[in-house]
Amino acid sequence: MTENLVLGIDLGGTAIKLGCCSPQGTCVRSITVPTPQPSTPEPVVDAIATAVHALDPEKTMPVIGLGMPGPADNTGRIARVSINLDDWLDVPLAEWVEDKTGRPTTIANDANCAGLGEALYGAGQPFQNLIMLTLGTGVGGAIIMNGELYTGRDGAAGELGLITLWPDGPPCNSGNNGSLEQFASVRAIRRDHQCEPHELAGREDEAANSFWQDYGRNLGAGLASLIYVLTPEAVILGGGIAASTELFLPWVQAEIERRVMPTSRENLVILPAALGNQAGMIGAAQLARQRFGY
């Protein structure tokens, strides 16, 4: 059944995920294609268009929602910058995708899309105020306030992974030093440990246990700052590293309890994302429904 399906796209640094999403928040079919390398705008848009045509050659889905790794402008038309893609600055992404696919398109930050998906259909459903971190190639974030996605005055709010954790820490593509992303992302793990997170997750030796303890403490310290500012009801952890939540969550919770006053974390819960790697596609599709009235 194709009635009321919307195409949701999750553009990442290594892969592009496309899904046919229902109004109930289910992805009835999907495909994943590699992100071209180098990931400059024109080849990426070509890859998106080719995948759209492969997934829906008969154009049964009339509109597209697209999440991209960086802030979009508040009209949902311009990809302002992406620190984890190559040479992205003020790219008219929605227009280019529309030209290639013949379908109205709106764009947003990929973590915002994932946060919206989780808030509406996943682990965030019971809550009106929450934050989400996507622990992947980079670290993205989303803020849900009073049941609504918050993106600030110009669409760029919610870059939670770019807060400073250690002022003299490793340089970040954002221009910051020691951002949370430099301690909690896949790229940080590759840099410091020369392996993939899933390789550490499959080990039970002392070195691996020590890694997850340090990872949880760093993530907890970063979350402490966010909790003090936003006092959410829930923190949702998504992205590839969140598949190993049980290995580091106790250390996250202990660090938050140590650093955050009880008045700022009262009844706070920390939960793994429920929609897995479909959250970004589902949220992007829902954003398109909202913006195009579909």
Side-chain angles (χ1 to χ4, degrees):
M1 182 177 179
T2 59
E3 184 180 0
N4 291 328
L5 293 181
V6 166
L7 187 54
I9 302 176
D10 184 0
L11 168 60
T14 57
I16 306 168
K17 299 186 284 289
L18 303 90
C20 309
C21 303
S22 75
Q24 293 74 40
T26 57
C27 189
V28 300
R29 66 182 186 276
S30 64
I31 61 171
T32 300
V33 299
T35 303
Q37 302 299 328
S39 53
T40 51
E42 289 85 354
V44 167
V45 172
D46 287 341
I48 290 171
T50 299
V52 167
H53 293 312
L55 183 61
D56 185 32
E58 297 181 359
K59 293 189 176 181
T60 60
M61 289 174 288
V63 297
I64 295 174
L66 192 157
M68 51 86 58
D73 73 328
N74 56 13
T75 68
R77 303 293 297 170
I78 306 296
R80 299 183 62 192
V81 67
S82 179
I83 64 174
N84 291 317
L85 297 174
D86 297 311
D87 300 328
W88 283 65
L89 182 64
D90 292 329
V91 175
L93 182 58
E95 178 183 343
W96 287 6
V97 172
E98 288 174 347
D99 289 344
K100 294 278 187 177
T101 65
R103 312 174 205 221
T105 300
T106 188
I107 68 171
N109 174 275
D110 57 354
N112 284 346
C113 291
L116 183 63
E118 287 291 337
L120 295 175
Y121 305 111
Q125 289 183 81
F127 311 105
Q128 287 291 297
N129 297 279
L130 63 93
I131 60 175
M132 181 172 182
L133 288 183
T134 54
L135 309 172
T137 304
V139 174
I143 302 169
I144 305 294
M145 298 179 64
N146 300 318
E148 300 289 336
L149 179 65
Y150 177 76
T151 59
R153 60 182 171 85
D154 56 4
E159 292 286 355
L160 306 184
L162 301 184
I163 65 169
T164 301
L165 190 60
W166 178 28
D168 298 319
C172 178
N173 289 340
S174 66
N176 193 5
N177 281 81
S179 64
L180 178 59
E181 180 168 299
Q182 296 308 306
F183 297 90
S185 67
V186 172
R187 283 182 173 170
I189 294 171
R190 291 171 181 163
R191 179 196 66 218
D192 294 339
H193 301 277
Q194 294 76 54
C195 67
E196 299 296 316
H198 67 84
E199 295 174 315
L200 288 162
R203 289 166 41 185
E204 297 182 359
D205 55 272
E206 184 175 345
N209 291 337
S210 177
F211 162 79
W212 289 115
Q213 178 177 340
D214 289 342
Y215 183 89
R217 291 187 61 200
N218 285 328
L219 183 57
L223 283 171
S225 296
L226 299 173
I227 291 165
Y228 269 128
V229 173
L230 296 167
T231 59
E233 300 168 80
V235 174
I236 310 296
L237 301 177
I241 300 176
S244 302
T245 300
E246 73 280 359
L247 298 176
F248 61 82
L249 185 57
W251 304 105
V252 173
Q253 292 173 321
E255 200 68 15
I256 289 172
E257 290 175 6
R258 185 175 78 82
R259 292 177 179 270
V260 181
M261 294 188 300
T263 49
S264 294
R265 56 176 168 85
E266 188 174 6
N267 299 320
L268 174 70
V269 295
I270 305 173
L271 301 169
L275 300 179
N277 63 10
Q278 295 186 344
M281 295 184 290
I282 291 170
Q286 178 59 26
L287 200 64
R289 291 182 196 283
Q290 294 176 355
R291 290 180 175 176
F292 294 122
Y294 182 73

